[in-house]
Amino acid sequence: MATDSAVSVGPAPARRLLTLIVPALAVGVASALVLLGISLLAEQLQDVLWQTLPDALSVGRYSSLWMIVMLTATGLAIGLVIQVVPGRAGPDPATMGLVDPPLPPGVLPGLLVVTVLALAGGVSLGPENPITAANIALACWAGRRFAPDTPAALWLALAAAGTIGALFGTPVAAALILSETFASRAEPGALWDRLFGPLAAGAAGALTMTLLAHPSFNLSLPDYTHTHWADLLFAIVIASAGAVLGMAAVYAFPYVHRAFRAVRHPVPTLTLGGLLLGLLGALGGHLTLFKGLDEVKVLAADPGGWSAGEFAVMAVVKTVALLIAAACGFRGGRIFPAVFSGVALGLCAHALVDGVPVALAVTCAVLGVLLAVTRQGWLSLFAAAVLASDSTLLPLLCVASLPAWLLVTGRPQMQLHRDGTPLR
């Protein structure tokens, strides 16, 4: 993820920090409402595309034929929208991180339209990147209009924190991500001074989303009751395997991106990308479609419902789908599909070795995949921990993160420079 957009409110006395509360709360609530609105619109369209329409045509809702047709049509539709809207719905998403400098407001309508289409059409990407970009652009535009003397970096931080808080249902995720960003820059003032406004925005976003939509990341995995010595080895091996799976996608990313960009036109590029995603869906099953948050709960609810081989296929298919979707130009984020890949990989490990606790296998695999895909240590630990909501796993997750981090640090990221070279 990009770190050049790091933000700071600088050293400030209590009086100055108090003046941040009202704008932080306003931005946090607005960020959550934008996320909620786009999510609800995508869900309604998804019901039409995957239930109403195939039922009317007497086609199986998740038949191989319908998955291929629908993903191909989604790619075609998104390519046509990108071709005609101002600013082509924003820069190449392969060059964008989770928190980046504000986009021009004129590109936001097109960006939000293609985001809804991708979420509803079954593309293996989440809403986090485009929604965060839209909220940052809106907050910075409003800040310039109503408080021109306030640094743009403050509005960027508030919008990013509000959106991340809403996405995860807690301001802790926003604070962890921004603290990594702040740590990468030498800034004056205490860390909590710089986090004060963003933390308020993140709390407002999280509370708004919790009160209106009641999101939950807890997979209700079997309780992890007691730590054994063998679990330490299991944790290290599974987290490292997750990191290897994620890094395979990272290393392939620039090559796949270059192949798609050789087409040089968004309509055939995204139509081809959609076709490939449909074929992958036919191979891995309908659970490997969409952003993966609802689908992963289906997997976790029945750890014995699939064989180790079937879990492995789903993990690989979802990872390849994420790779193709992110490389060919679909707008979306990589966190939620990476979580699905990790959960499937963890359940595969449990199916292979019955003595591996389900909660341990799932959280460690998610940790490894996220470390490779996001390169955010705190976010990866947080996301893995909340899936099980079990503090007993935290020491093992911290230990497992160390060898996994050694596998990913200093290597290319799943983000490119504008010239197509990997970001490190």
Side-chain angles (χ1 to χ4, degrees), residues 36-49 51 116 119-120 291 294:
L36 183 60
I38 294 300
S39 299
L40 291 176
L41 185 59
E43 288 173 7
Q44 293 298 314
L45 181 57
Q46 179 180 329
D47 289 342
V48 173
L49 297 179
Q51 297 180 27
V116 169
L119 291 172
K291 64 183 179 182
D294 293 330

Side-chain angles (χ1 to χ4, degrees), residues 5-317:
S5 58
V7 289
S8 171
V9 298
R15 183 182 304 173
R16 182 175 179 183
L17 294 179
L18 284 172
T19 64
L20 297 177
I21 292 179
V22 172
L25 295 180
V27 170
V29 171
S31 298
L33 292 177
V34 171
L35 171 63
L36 183 60
I38 294 300
S39 299
L40 291 176
L41 185 59
E43 288 173 7
Q44 293 298 314
L45 181 57
Q46 179 180 329
D47 289 342
V48 173
L49 297 179
W50 293 93
Q51 297 180 27
T52 306
L53 191 54
D55 288 351
L57 297 173
S58 299
V59 179
R61 291 181 177 181
Y62 292 106
S63 65
S64 296
L65 174 62
W66 189 249
M67 286 189 282
I68 294 170
V69 169
M70 184 50 57
L71 267 300
T72 304
T74 298
L76 173 61
I78 292 175
L80 290 171
V81 172
I82 291 175
Q83 180 65 26
V84 300
V85 296
R88 296 205 169 193
D92 181 354
T95 66
M96 302 292 288
L98 180 59
V99 180
D100 281 316
L103 299 173
V107 309
L108 298 188
L111 176 62
L112 294 177
V113 167
V114 298
T115 299
V116 169
L117 291 175
L119 291 172
V123 176
S124 291
L125 292 172
E128 58 272 20
N129 285 29
I131 299 300
T132 303
N135 283 335
I136 287 174
L138 290 171
C140 290
W141 173 84
R144 287 194 302 269
R145 184 176 179 86
F146 299 109
D149 295 332
T150 304
L154 173 62
W155 299 110
L156 186 153
L158 296 182
T163 308
I164 296 168
L167 279 165
F168 291 95
T170 170
V172 175
L176 292 174
I177 291 175
L178 291 177
S179 67
E180 284 199 49
T181 302
F182 293 151
S184 66
R185 296 171 62 94
E187 298 281 352
L191 175 63
W192 276 91
D193 279 352
R194 288 178 278 163
L195 284 175
F196 186 86
L199 190 59
L207 287 172
T208 301
M209 185 61 69
T210 299
L211 292 171
L212 296 178
H214 313 292
S216 174
F217 288 85
N218 187 353
L219 298 183
S220 300
L221 298 169
D223 291 336
Y224 180 75
T225 56
H226 184 70
T227 302
H228 299 87
W229 284 106
D231 292 346
L232 182 60
L233 177 60
F234 292 146
I236 292 173
V237 171
I238 294 171
S240 298
V244 170
L245 176 63
M247 285 307 301
V250 170
Y251 273 107
F253 190 55
Y255 300 102
V256 177
H257 178 267
R258 190 177 306 131
F260 277 112
R261 284 299 170 269
V263 182
R264 298 183 179 276
H265 195 284
V267 175
T269 298
L270 285 159
T271 302
L272 174 60
L275 172 60
L276 294 175
L277 292 178
L279 293 171
L280 285 169
L283 174 63
H286 73 276
L287 291 177
T288 59
L289 302 180
F290 304 102
K291 64 183 179 182
L293 186 57
D294 293 330
E295 292 72 23
V296 82
K297 294 178 180 179
V298 177
L299 292 185
D302 189 13
W306 292 267
S307 67
E310 289 170 325
F311 281 127
V313 168
M314 285 190 279
V316 172
V317 165

Side-chain angles (χ1 to χ4, degrees), residues 95 146 358 368 371 408 421:
T95 66
F146 299 109
V358 174
L371 282 174
V408 305
T421 58

